[in-house]
Amino acid sequence: MNVCTPEASYSSYSITVSGEGSSLEIEDVLIGEVWIAAGQSNMEMPMRGWTNIPVENALEFLSCAPMHDKIRMFTVDENPSLVPLDDVQLTKGWAKADASTIPDMSATAFFFALKLNASLDIPV
């Protein structure tokens, strides 16, 4: 089976993965840019800021219209380990950007995704 990835767009897709006697369907998948934002406190700081440390200009984005098809974020929770891990153990999963999810998103990653979306006009 030859399957090609569609061009980036705001159209929503479903992906079905089939195996021996079972299948899994993943719905509402967008095709676009996927970036990994990793680091220490600079990536961890959420859009809502920390006590007495607000994120500059965050309020205008915390109250903006939903950006479900523009920005989505997959957040992995901290999982300290003394040995390398082969898989993600703890995750908050994918979140569509809206007033209820943006406050918990990484501020650095959010602003990067916002700029990238505005430049490329594809989902990030």
Side-chain angles (χ1 to χ4, degrees):
M1 173 191 256
N2 187 7
V3 179
C4 296
T5 303
E7 287 189 33
S9 76
Y10 297 104
S11 298
S12 179
Y13 291 88
S14 293
I15 298 173
T16 302
V17 180
S18 299
E20 297 177 18
S22 66
S23 65
L24 171 68
E25 184 172 11
I26 305 168
E27 297 181 357
D28 197 19
V29 176
L30 300 179
I31 309 298
E33 291 287 307
V34 177
W35 287 76
I36 296 174
Q40 296 177 359
S41 59
N42 58 332
M43 288 297 168
E44 187 177 3
M45 185 174 201
M47 284 292 287
R48 72 176 176 286
W50 287 324
T51 305
N52 297 323
I53 307 173
V55 173
E56 188 175 331
N57 299 322
L59 286 179
E60 70 181 89
F61 297 102
L62 297 178
S63 60
C64 67
M67 296 181 269
H68 294 166
D69 295 338
K70 293 182 181 219
I71 298 174
R72 296 182 180 185
M73 199 166 298
F74 183 86
T75 302
V76 177
D77 289 335
E78 291 180 14
N79 187 16
S81 174
L82 297 175
V83 297
L85 302 173
D86 293 327
D87 201 357
V88 173
Q89 303 296 315
L90 305 169
T91 177
K92 295 177 182 156
W94 285 99
K96 298 176 181 183
D98 65 28
S100 69
T101 60
I102 292 173
D104 292 323
M105 291 181 172
S106 161
T108 303
F110 178 83
F111 285 120
F112 177 77
L114 190 67
K115 183 76 169 176
L116 202 57
N117 174 261
S119 297
L120 301 175
D121 192 27
I122 59 174
V124 180

